[in-house]
Amino acid sequence: MNQELRELYQEVIIDHGRHPRNFKVLEDYTHSQKGYNPLCGDRLQLFLRIPPGPQPVIEAASFQGEGCAISMASASLLTESLKGKTPEDAKVLFQQFHQLLTGDHNCTGPDLGKLEVLTGVRAFPTRIKCATLAWHTLLGALDQGETKPDNWVSTE
Amino acid sequence: MNKSIPLTTASPPGPRDNNSRFDVNDLRSQFPILERRIQGHPLAYLDNAATSQKPRAVIDCIQRYYLHTNANVHRGVYQLSEEATRAYETSRDKVQQFINARERAEIIFVKGTTEAINLVAHSYAKPLLRPGDEILISTMEHHSNIVPWQIICNQTGAQLRVIPISDVGEIDMQAFGALLSPTCRMLSLTHVSNTLGTITPIKQMISRAHQHGIPVLIDGAQAVPHLTVDVQALDADFYAFSGHKVYGPTGTGVLYGKREILEQMQPYQGGGDMISQVTFEHTEYNELPYRFEAGTPNIAGVVGLGCALDYIQAIGLAQIGRHEQALLAYASEALSAIEGLRLIGTASDKAGILSFVMDAAHAHDISTVLDQAGVAIRAGHHCTMPLMSRLGVAATARASLALYNNQADIDALVAGLHEVNRIFK
């Protein structure tokens, strides 16, 4: 395996791809959104529990779906990183993650913790949509007031 | 005007099957792109169902056209235009001969198979369709042989009916017979499935459809690079294919139609070459085939397509077919021996396409790992999403063969798939 492949398919990615965390329908979810990548057929559904209140916080996140190791691992890591964040924090995280994958290879971005294992995707432009599918779905879920939950968010 | 241009005789027909030795290494040297290295490895190009690579003969032909002949066709009263017209029309003769059409007027140049099917859907089928009528297709169709029919069904109230397939990817002929109803107005079928490689028994199906008075369009995009096609022997009413899958340029394609049917059809697009006389009150349409070739065509592309047909006929389609079948057998056996790999589409009669899934990895991950070894395959739904749904898979990896592929390409594929298992298991 060459260096680029090794960075793409780090052990953490393969582990999350094979055993995605929070892979279930969330009990008492308040937000749900389906996401779809028509290029490859990957699809998933994201569930969020954000109890209403003066300062809403994402209490739990989960997903179900099928796709490649990158899209499954990215969704799995996303659900892990959302817990305790406000919807606004989550949108900022989306921007930071997007920057991580598409920005200058040498730039030092914000510390995204475990999500940085997906940095290897930068060397594979054709796979960026795989890594961002769950994240576009997240935006759809957060903006659900304006969209119908049964509509698909697409990477195209 | 086009009718007055003296056309040169088409090149002598290439042999359908010559007896010269099929030397794949010699043929490979005629495809410059095969000299490339990808990620430090020799290129093993196995995505030929998407598009084929081009031999130097075709590339040179296009370059020669632009260097020496370029002018618009059918219009100019000067030598270059006459030469360009002659080159363009000579390609029509070559296509006629290639698929054994009865006459050159039955060959319409379009930009590809998709446009050809859309042309038939809109110019032929739509005016005939009434609510309750049916268009019949198969489960194995490419989106381009589904969506145009859906569009005109929506516009006319007609319905799309679908012939089922077996689990190995063969047409259910009994169900097909039952679907040939008095309300069926059109049968549109793929000759070779781009996803499964299945060769559809089109001759038999055309014959049965004709017994019910149903016209038939054949999507030959995946067939013409691999099989000898004789539209008269098949008795196809329409036959469509693309230039770029048959070693020619992209943006070129052919619609063959029987003259008596084409003559009934209204033009698909207006403008340019499709007219004979225009006033603000009325337009008289040009004769066949120009009636369906509005606007300046892809002249260099069509000329290149003619060169591509010369090229493969000089090798011989029967020889190409034998080579690809031998390689398919070699690859099928090698792939079947890989742990956790399942071939999708194992029809008894199939062309050189190997679709598969692996327990360890998704098709996209497979493709990425293979790319790092210089092996180019396709991963995804291959524009056949209803078929994927029928087969119960979201995506497959697909290796598809061409005349220049060899055992080393398959060995590189197999080595890459072992690497997939090493990484993901």
Side-chain angles (χ1 to χ4, degrees):
Chain A
M1 185 164 39
N2 67 26
Q3 188 58 32
E4 284 185 339
L5 264 190
R6 198 168 288 123
E7 280 179 21
L8 179 69
Y9 292 119
Q10 295 186 35
E11 199 53 48
V12 178
I13 304 256
I14 290 179
D15 179 40
H16 276 261
R18 196 181 298 149
H19 308 292
R21 318 300 195 261
N22 305 306
F23 194 79
K24 61 186 178 186
V25 179
L26 205 59
E27 279 181 28
D28 305 323
Y29 68 84
T30 56
H31 295 62
S32 169
Q33 180 67 53
K34 294 172 181 170
Y36 179 49
N37 181 354
L39 183 70
C40 60
D42 286 4
R43 56 184 75 213
L44 56 81
Q45 186 168 9
L46 188 70
F47 304 93
L48 302 174
R49 187 161 68 234
I50 312 176
Q55 285 186 315
V57 166
I58 300 171
E59 200 175 86
S62 74
F63 80 105
Q64 283 194 319
E66 57 184 333
C68 63
I70 306 294
S71 69
M72 290 295 102
S74 182
S76 174
L77 290 160
L78 169 68
T79 57
E80 283 196 326
S81 62
L82 286 177
K83 206 172 169 183
K85 288 195 165 49
T86 66
E88 289 69 33
D89 290 342
K91 287 182 181 177
V92 170
L93 189 66
F94 170 92
Q95 294 299 341
Q96 291 173 333
F97 183 71
H98 207 263
Q99 173 72 22
L100 178 78
L101 296 194
T102 58
D104 184 345
H105 194 75
N106 297 318
C107 77
T108 50
D111 181 10
L112 289 169
K114 221 174 183 181
L115 290 168
E116 289 189 2
V117 296
L118 284 156
T119 312
V121 176
R122 278 203 292 224
F124 296 85
T126 58
R127 305 302 302 276
I128 287 173
K129 284 179 181 171
C130 307
T132 55
L133 171 61
W135 295 74
H136 287 288
T137 310
L138 166 69
L139 283 195
L142 294 173
D143 291 339
Q144 207 170 76
E146 296 146 39
T147 60
K148 291 181 182 167
D150 280 344
N151 283 356
W152 293 89
V153 166
S154 168
T155 53
E156 294 302 296
Chain B
M1 191 54 211
N2 41 47
K3 284 162 271 183
S4 64
I5 295 284
L7 299 174
T8 53
T9 312
S11 306
R16 289 257 157 173
D17 182 19
N18 65 29
N19 291 318
S20 62
R21 199 169 135 261
F22 186 98
D23 182 344
V24 69
N25 288 326
D26 181 44
L27 292 172
R28 288 176 70 82
S29 71
Q30 296 164 19
F31 288 79
I33 205 168
L34 298 180
E35 292 163 16
R36 270 203 69 175
R37 294 181 77 82
I38 303 291
Q39 321 282 1
H41 300 274
L43 168 63
Y45 185 78
L46 293 166
D47 194 17
N48 296 288
T51 195
S52 61
Q53 299 299 345
K54 319 305 172 198
R56 190 180 296 282
V58 170
I59 298 166
D60 287 351
C61 181
I62 295 165
Q63 187 185 40
R64 209 164 42 241
Y65 172 81
Y66 278 124
L67 285 174
H68 300 291
T69 313
N70 181 51
N72 213 324
V73 289
H74 300 151
R75 290 178 184 80
V77 187
Y78 53 89
Q79 182 177 336
L80 274 189
S81 178
E82 201 169 312
E83 287 176 10
T85 302
R86 192 176 300 122
Y88 181 79
E89 293 299 334
T90 298
S91 279
R92 199 185 308 275
D93 297 327
K94 289 175 180 176
V95 173
Q96 179 200 344
Q97 182 268 327
F98 181 67
I99 59 172
N100 194 31
R102 199 172 42 193
E103 49 180 316
R104 63 192 314 280
E106 296 178 322
I107 305 300
I108 297 160
F109 286 121
V110 288
K111 68 181 182 187
T113 308
T114 302
E115 188 186 13
I117 296 172
N118 276 280
L119 195 165
V120 175
H122 287 270
S123 282
Y124 175 73
K126 187 180 165 186
L128 297 176
L129 290 174
R130 301 288 174 269
D133 286 347
E134 293 171 355
I135 301 284
L136 191 55
I137 61 171
S138 88
T139 307
M140 291 185 290
E141 302 310 320
H142 189 277
H143 293 166
S144 59
N145 199 21
I146 301 173
V147 182
W149 304 113
Q150 283 177 337
I151 290 171
I152 61 157
C153 281
N154 287 336
Q155 292 172 351
T156 61
Q159 293 177 325
L160 198 61
R161 303 294 298 272
V162 183
I163 309 162
I165 57 165
S166 68
D167 290 342
V168 298
E170 292 175 343
I171 294 276
D172 180 338
M173 292 299 281
Q174 201 174 349
F176 165 62
L179 283 163
L180 294 171
S181 73
T183 50
C184 185
R185 297 280 171 255
M186 184 92 209
L187 170 64
S188 192
L189 278 178
T190 185
H191 194 165
V192 171
S193 159
N194 71 313
T195 299
L196 305 177
T198 305
I199 300 174
T200 313
I202 55 165
K203 188 168 184 182
Q204 187 188 347
M205 294 177 80
I206 291 169
S207 167
R208 288 181 66 179
H210 283 174
Q211 286 165 17
H212 292 76
I214 301 166
V216 186
L217 181 152
I218 300 297
D219 166 0
Q222 298 294 340
V224 289
H226 313 292
L227 310 171
T228 300
V229 172
D230 181 333
V231 290
Q232 291 190 75
L234 290 169
D235 199 22
D237 299 286
F238 298 102
Y239 196 98
F241 69 91
S242 298
H244 72 101
K245 295 189 203 289
V246 67
Y247 311 103
T250 56
T252 64
V254 170
L255 173 66
Y256 156 82
K258 287 179 179 168
R259 174 188 269 279
E260 58 271 28
I261 299 179
L262 291 175
E263 279 180 340
Q264 297 166 20
M265 291 162 51
Q266 291 296 304
Y268 172 52
Q269 296 169 331
D273 224 18
M274 51 76 72
I275 56 95
S276 62
Q277 190 169 323
V278 177
T279 65
F280 281 118
E281 291 74 37
H282 178 68
T283 294
E284 282 176 29
Y285 302 131
N286 203 343
E287 62 184 18
L288 291 173
Y290 310 106
R291 187 188 302 175
F292 296 104
E293 293 182 3
T296 298
N298 181 356
I299 306 166
V302 165
V303 171
L305 172 59
C307 293
L309 300 184
D310 283 344
Y311 179 80
I312 59 171
Q313 287 194 292
I315 300 166
L317 269 161
Q319 292 235 70
I320 294 168
R322 274 196 293 275
H323 168 71
E324 291 175 351
Q325 283 297 322
L327 203 55
L328 176 66
Y330 178 78
S332 300
E333 192 178 335
L335 261 56
S336 300
I338 292 172
E339 195 185 345
L341 185 147
R342 179 164 63 96
L343 284 168
I344 306 284
T346 50
S348 59
D349 196 11
K350 66 178 276 188
I353 287 174
L354 299 120
S355 240
F356 57 93
V357 292
M358 292 177 80
D359 292 341
H362 184 275
H364 260 198
D365 297 313
I366 295 170
S367 184
T368 292
V369 174
L370 291 175
D371 181 43
Q372 294 299 301
V375 181
I377 61 150
R378 177 56 56 91
H381 50 63
H382 319 300
C383 298
T384 56
M385 291 174 80
L387 174 60
M388 292 282 121
S389 176
R390 160 63 181 87
L391 298 169
V393 292
T396 73
R398 180 191 71 185
S400 50
L401 309 178
L403 63 89
Y404 42 69
N405 288 123
N406 60 10
Q407 291 196 356
D409 292 335
I410 304 302
D411 293 343
L413 170 69
V414 169
L417 295 175
H418 284 303
E419 176 76 353
V420 170
N421 269 340
R422 266 194 296 279
I423 295 172
F424 290 98
K425 283 196 68 139

